Amino acid sequence: MKFTVLEKNGKEKVIDFIPKHIINAGYTGRDQAAVQAHIDELKEKGIPAPDKTPVYFVKFGDRLTQEEKFEVLDETDHSGEAEFALFFDGDEIYVGVGSDHTDRKLEEVNIPKAKQMYPNTVSRKLWKLSDVVDHWDDITLRSWIKVNGKKTLFQEAKLTAMLDAADLIKRTKELLRSPEETDGLVLYSGTVASLFSADYSPYFETELEDPVLGRKLGESYEMTCVSSWYKGN
């Protein structure tokens, strides 16, 4: 996969990154009240609460996309979540933004399998973690969906709402058989509670805004249901 890295000094460089492993973290809030809000949100959809938090789910390395469109099986029972993503590339760690798009119906039965159904999406541009780590908590995470055809803000929170990158990295390394062998790892952060409950949206957009350096990362995608071309037997 090719990414454009936006550096703090204004320069850009293109990197080739080969994702080897993906881990999706969940329930990663620093504020336990916010974590409980997200758990309650999922409980309403029939998804059981975890015994302890954070939680981590392995996702196959090929379940990552920069594409702006992909197919879904139906127009219900799946949705996206805005998350920051950390890319481990040799000695460098990069920050992107994307969505952990999950089959909610399957999630009620088997969460790890539900994570494989749809790809994680990610921005085509990245930041160096070292460029933003000193003002990490000033960064804002957002998402939008479409409600009655109108783009509507769906999630918004500063990264103070979640475990910071250093803490998340430390916790994740403890899960690895070789903690220092992280090259090719993509780590998704978990998400924040939505601003309102919503039914299916065929559109999802995510953003990270850095007010200190005055820049943003973003990506969006649209879904097409197979029923648009396949009528079945």
Side-chain angles (χ1 to χ4, degrees):
M1 302 181 77
K2 290 188 180 296
F3 292 93
T4 299
V5 177
L6 309 178
E7 300 187 357
K8 182 168 63 173
N9 58 13
K11 294 183 178 180
E12 298 183 3
K13 68 176 182 180
V14 176
I15 64 167
D16 287 303
F17 181 87
I18 300 174
K20 297 178 182 176
H21 312 290
I22 302 172
I23 295 176
N24 286 6
Y27 305 109
T28 52
R30 290 185 223 177
D31 180 349
Q32 286 302 297
V35 172
Q36 189 60 50
H38 185 52
I39 289 174
D40 292 343
E41 188 178 73
L42 295 180
K43 274 185 176 180
E44 290 180 4
K45 300 176 182 178
I47 301 167
D51 293 330
K52 61 180 181 178
T53 59
V55 294
Y56 306 89
F57 303 103
V58 171
K59 192 153 183 165
F60 299 142
D62 63 354
R63 299 274 71 201
L64 188 68
T65 186
Q66 296 170 316
E67 298 300 320
E68 296 177 356
K69 295 180 183 292
F70 60 82
E71 286 189 310
V72 294
L73 288 173
D74 47 51
E75 293 185 349
T76 59
D77 301 330
H78 57 88
S79 60
E81 297 178 342
E83 307 195 6
F84 69 81
L86 301 176
F87 290 76
F88 294 74
D89 188 25
D91 295 330
E92 194 73 71
I93 301 176
Y94 299 104
V95 182
V97 66
S99 172
D100 167 12
H101 199 93
T102 303
D103 186 305
R104 300 302 177 191
K105 197 68 177 177
L106 184 55
E107 193 173 33
E108 296 174 15
V109 180
N110 190 307
I111 297 177
K113 289 184 178 179
K115 295 296 181 183
Q116 314 307 326
M117 280 295 296
Y118 296 111
N120 280 11
T121 65
V122 68
S123 53
R124 294 178 182 273
K125 296 181 179 180
L126 306 174
W127 297 328
K128 284 184 175 182
L129 177 59
S130 58
D131 284 348
V132 296
V133 69
D134 63 344
H135 57 277
W136 183 258
D137 287 351
D138 293 314
I139 297 171
T140 298
L141 176 68
R142 297 186 182 94
S143 76
W144 292 264
I145 62 173
K146 285 188 177 178
V147 179
N148 297 323
K150 181 180 179 181
K151 192 170 88 168
T152 305
L153 185 66
F154 186 59
Q155 294 172 285
E156 182 175 46
K158 286 196 171 184
L159 295 188
T160 49
M162 309 165 74
L163 295 176
D164 65 34
D167 194 358
L168 189 59
I169 291 167
K170 177 178 179 295
R171 290 169 183 258
T172 302
K173 283 186 174 183
E174 293 172 354
L175 305 174
L176 305 179
R177 293 188 182 278
S178 300
E180 299 310 313
E181 293 184 12
T182 56
D183 190 39
L185 174 65
V186 184
L187 173 59
Y188 274 68
S189 65
T191 194
V192 295
S194 57
L195 301 175
F196 60 92
S197 180
D199 294 327
Y200 172 75
S201 168
Y203 175 88
F204 200 80
E205 179 177 345
T206 67
E207 178 185 270
L208 278 179
E209 180 181 13
D210 177 355
V212 174
L213 296 179
R215 57 187 187 168
K216 297 178 181 179
L217 295 176
E219 58 87 39
S220 64
Y221 59 95
E222 294 186 80
M223 292 153 279
T224 302
C225 183
V226 294
S227 64
S228 66
W229 62 269
Y230 177 67
K231 69 177 183 178
N233 296 325

